[in-house]
Amino acid sequence: MEKQRLFSSASPLSYSSNSILSRNSLLLLITLLVILGVFMPWAGSPLFLFSNTNAPSSSFPSKWVDYSLAKAAKFVAKNGTLIACTVSYRFFPFLNNWLIGVSRQKHQDKVLVIAEDYATLYKVNSKWPGHAVLIPPALDSQTAHSFGSQGFFNLTSRRPEHLLQLLELGYKVMYNDVDMVWLQDPFPYLQGSHDVYFMDDKTAIKPLSHSHDLPPSARNGRTNICSCMIFLRPTNGAKLLMKQWIEELHAQPWSKSNKGNDQPGFNWALGKTAHQVDVYLLSQAAFPTGGVYFWNKTWVEETKGKHVIVLHYRLRQ
């Protein structure tokens, strides 16, 4: 009603060509309303920290260059749990998007950004001190690392090593790709005390009540589990899975004929440790990948997305 009174009280002269100031004032007022109504609720969110996308200078405070994973994990972890993501500088827009959902669920303080280059390390810690750490060697900050490239493989193949180190430090770890969005808090859905929780990458919809066991292998002998979201407890089973994943990636390095990524290795590792690791397959209806959500429009329309907890966009596909 306030807006209606505001516009109805405007004089006809305010729309004439001689009233530029009035039009500009109106535009300014609308802009302020948008800022107050949309952005101010997020003033405490990490999202605001990364608005400047210009690359930082090449000089980095030794404080962050020497910042160890052990110190960073201890700083961000809450009740022995942290949320980890791996980010290179060219993926900052994805990081911003992802942090919106995490902040809505009040979990942003647990976020640990594993920086894959010094530009990312400096950028995050200059605005959000202590929330980024670099585990050498650093990658080139200006490389886009497009899906299927060797740079992308180099980026993603380091993931199990990072996760294993965090498990060895004794932390429960929620890993996320940053091309995801949190619509609800995922932690209440991590039922029981299993070693590892993950999402299905199959496009056929399974009901909320589906089995949480590892699905049957495909014709090639490999499952199709998504490595985009993984929750791990610091158990012997979870550590074994990470070690096997590392071995699989070393055995199948990137080549021009095999433009792979980390996910096939994760699935081979799951198959080889199936009887030694306690796994929990999350519901597709609650944790859909992009292939499920965007390729099954009928299901999306029927459910209105009401069961979705975390959605993996998979914008690179």
Side-chain angles (χ1 to χ4, degrees):
M1 294 297 295
E2 281 297 321
K3 289 184 181 179
Q4 289 178 351
R5 285 196 293 270
L6 173 66
F7 286 106
S8 63
S9 63
S11 166
L13 291 176
S14 64
Y15 298 98
S16 69
S17 60
N18 296 323
S19 303
I20 297 176
L21 180 59
S22 297
R23 291 202 304 272
N24 288 345
S25 298
L26 184 60
L27 289 172
L28 177 60
L29 179 58
I30 293 172
T31 302
L32 287 173
L33 287 172
V34 170
I35 292 173
L36 290 172
V38 177
F39 293 108
M40 286 305 290
W42 294 106
S45 167
L47 174 71
F48 269 77
L49 305 178
F50 311 121
S51 57
N52 180 10
T53 57
N54 293 326
S57 65
S58 58
S59 61
F60 304 99
S62 59
K63 171 183 178 181
W64 300 123
V65 173
D66 299 331
Y67 193 43
S68 69
L69 181 64
K71 289 181 179 178
K74 183 178 181 180
F75 177 74
V76 304
K78 302 292 183 291
N79 298 319
T81 301
L82 57 84
I83 303 167
C85 63
T86 57
V87 182
S88 65
Y89 199 77
R90 297 295 291 271
F91 284 101
F92 260 96
F94 290 94
L95 177 62
N96 279 335
N97 263 354
W98 175 69
L99 281 172
I100 293 174
V102 176
S103 299
R104 283 176 176 169
Q105 305 307 325
K106 311 300 183 185
H107 285 294
Q108 70 273 16
D109 289 343
K110 293 196 282 284
V111 169
L112 177 62
V113 177
I114 300 178
E116 295 292 4
D117 50 59
Y118 285 108
T120 302
L121 175 72
Y122 180 81
K123 183 74 171 181
V124 175
N125 282 337
S126 65
K127 301 293 186 179
W128 201 21
H131 281 269
V133 64
L134 187 144
I135 305 171
L139 302 179
D140 176 17
S141 64
Q142 296 306 311
T143 302
H145 303 309
S146 58
F147 184 75
S149 68
Q150 184 171 6
F152 188 84
F153 178 82
N154 293 342
L155 175 70
T156 60
S157 64
R158 289 153 57 98
R159 181 182 310 173
E161 297 179 12
H162 300 334
L163 295 177
L164 178 60
Q165 290 184 61
L166 290 169
L167 294 177
E168 295 286 9
L169 289 169
Y171 294 101
K172 289 175 283 188
V173 184
M174 164 74 80
Y175 171 80
N176 271 198
D177 280 355
V178 291
D179 56 343
M180 304 185 77
V181 61
W182 287 25
L183 300 177
Q184 298 183 53
D185 186 346
F187 283 97
Y189 293 80
L190 305 176
Q191 300 175 1
S193 55
H194 306 280
D195 295 329
V196 57
Y197 302 68
F198 41 68
M199 299 166 61
D200 199 330
D201 217 8
K202 290 284 189 180
T203 56
I205 299 293
K206 296 182 178 69
L208 283 168
S209 59
H210 77 80
S211 170
H212 298 290
D213 296 333
L214 189 67
S217 300
R219 290 181 180 178
N220 62 1
R222 193 184 75 208
T223 52
N224 194 21
I225 297 301
C226 187
S227 60
C228 56
M229 175 179 169
I230 308 171
F231 180 71
L232 300 154
R233 300 183 188 277
T235 61
N236 290 333
K239 294 173 188 176
L240 175 65
L241 177 59
M242 293 301 101
K243 291 174 183 176
Q244 186 63 48
W245 189 4
I246 293 168
E247 286 187 22
E248 296 299 325
L249 291 173
H250 287 169
Q252 299 261 344
W254 188 91
S255 66
K256 290 184 177 179
S257 59
N258 177 36
K259 297 182 179 181
N261 55 78
D262 67 297
Q263 185 161 303
F266 181 56
N267 280 269
W268 286 121
L270 281 169
K272 292 181 179 180
T273 60
H275 301 295
Q276 299 167 279
V277 181
D278 182 4
V279 304
Y280 188 92
L281 181 64
L282 295 164
S283 167
Q284 274 186 315
F287 296 85
T289 60
V292 171
Y293 195 83
F294 296 111
W295 296 350
N296 291 272
K297 295 181 180 179
T298 301
W299 172 76
V300 174
E301 183 63 27
E302 289 174 350
T303 64
K304 303 297 183 184
K306 62 182 179 181
H307 295 304
V308 176
I309 310 302
V310 173
L311 171 63
H312 187 210
Y313 276 109
R314 302 198 65 169
L315 294 179
R316 60 177 177 265
Q317 289 191 340

